[in-house]
Amino acid sequence: MNKVLSVRFAAGGVVAAAALTLAGCGGGDSGKDNPYGLEEAGTVLAAVSTDQPPFATADKGGKPQGFIVDLTDEVAKRLKLKVEYKASAVPAALQGLSSGQYDLAASGLGVTAERQKQVSFTKGVYWSTTTVLTRKNSTAAKLTDFSGKRVGDITGAVQQEFVKSKMPGAKQVQFQNQNSAVSQLLSGNLDAFVVGGPDADAYLKKYGTLKPAVSAPVDHATAMAVQKKNTKFQQAFDGQLGAMVQDGTFLKIYKKWFVEAPRPELVKIWPALGAQVGQGAEGTQGGSSS
């Protein structure tokens, strides 16, 4: 439930550590020992929202896993860096980037103009949809059917604006994490929950009493966020993502977590994906492991 973890996770293993303090941090040092200007030389301090299947969840031991985690770990390995994950809700993660608490928000984040005032984003790693989840006994089938209904969304998520602008008359109910919202939907205390398409797919597989009432495309990429001042780390991260696209590693990780082929909008961001998708992305075996 977005509880702060007191355990740090290094890429490839779990390392017990004391609570993070800012004293003695690299503070953006760009010397020989810290070429990427990280808060701690050699280590990426990454906030992760672990209720975002299939982008990021936690295994039984509390260790982060998912599409975003796999991408982050691979980038870090190629840059010869460690990753230390700390569970955080998205608003706190974005604030933590601004205050120098984190180097990276390792979650599936919608790239919006409002967020870009506060942080910078990596190049897009996914192109999503928005889904309105309901229980199977609901008759709602279009966005205007939710007037007067209790519709849940996550505080700070891009879906909040979707509910406000596209679901006229809906009674907006905010939650701090997705698991709480889904629980309230299942119990009948919510009429609908608006969430990203991949997250919705994971919940549909897990709960047979839910269904997608409405699905709509989005107008922005999904990416990770970095400190606005740290262009060196952003460029290094994007460079390794590009290398992963070129050598097929990106698509391999993508197939592990998603069944559908990358959308054309994502291929436009990474043209090298085009040929790879045409050669065998259709009918990939995979999907969320949650």
Side-chain angles (χ1 to χ4, degrees), residues 101-167:
Q101 186 178 5
Y102 305 119
D103 300 298
L104 178 73
S107 297
L109 303 171
V111 179
T112 66
E114 188 62 31
R115 285 176 171 174
Q116 286 176 314
K117 295 175 184 177
Q118 182 181 11
V119 299
S120 294
F121 288 93
T122 66
K123 292 185 72 171
V125 296
Y126 191 81
W127 201 283
S128 190
T129 56
T130 296
T131 297
V132 181
L133 285 177
T134 62
R135 294 181 301 281
K136 280 189 173 177
N137 59 4
S138 172
T139 59
K142 56 186 185 294
L143 295 175
T144 53
D145 290 341
F146 293 93
S147 179
K149 304 293 186 182
R150 286 171 54 84
V151 178
D153 55 39
I154 303 303
T155 300
V158 294
Q159 287 80 25
Q160 285 193 304
E161 182 57 33
F162 183 92
V163 176
K164 288 178 184 176
S165 63
K166 299 184 182 297
M167 302 179 76

Side-chain angles (χ1 to χ4, degrees), residues 28-60:
D29 239 352
S30 57
K32 237 183 238 189
D33 295 333
N34 193 8
Y36 308 115
L38 301 173
E39 291 298 319
E40 293 183 2
T43 299
V44 179
L45 302 178
V48 60
S49 179
T50 54
D51 67 337
Q52 247 197 341
F55 295 104
T57 58
D59 65 16
K60 291 181 180 178

Side-chain angles (χ1 to χ4, degrees), residues 67 70-71 74-75 77-78 240-256 273 276:
F67 176 61
D70 282 356
L71 290 180
E74 180 64 23
V75 167
K77 183 176 77 173
R78 292 179 180 219
Q240 292 305 320
L241 285 176
M244 289 161 60
V245 170
Q246 290 286 345
D247 66 23
T249 304
F250 181 94
L251 187 59
K252 181 179 178 181
I253 293 173
Y254 185 100
K255 288 181 180 182
K256 176 181 174 182
L273 271 179
Q276 297 171 25

Side-chain angles (χ1 to χ4, degrees), residues 208-246:
T209 57
L210 299 181
K211 71 174 183 179
V214 183
S215 184
V218 300
D219 59 1
H220 56 261
T222 296
M224 289 174 262
V226 300
Q227 295 178 5
K228 203 165 184 63
K229 66 181 181 181
N230 197 346
T231 55
K232 290 184 178 180
F233 182 54
Q234 179 187 14
Q235 290 169 0
F237 202 100
D238 282 343
Q240 292 305 320
L241 285 176
M244 289 161 60
V245 170
Q246 290 286 345

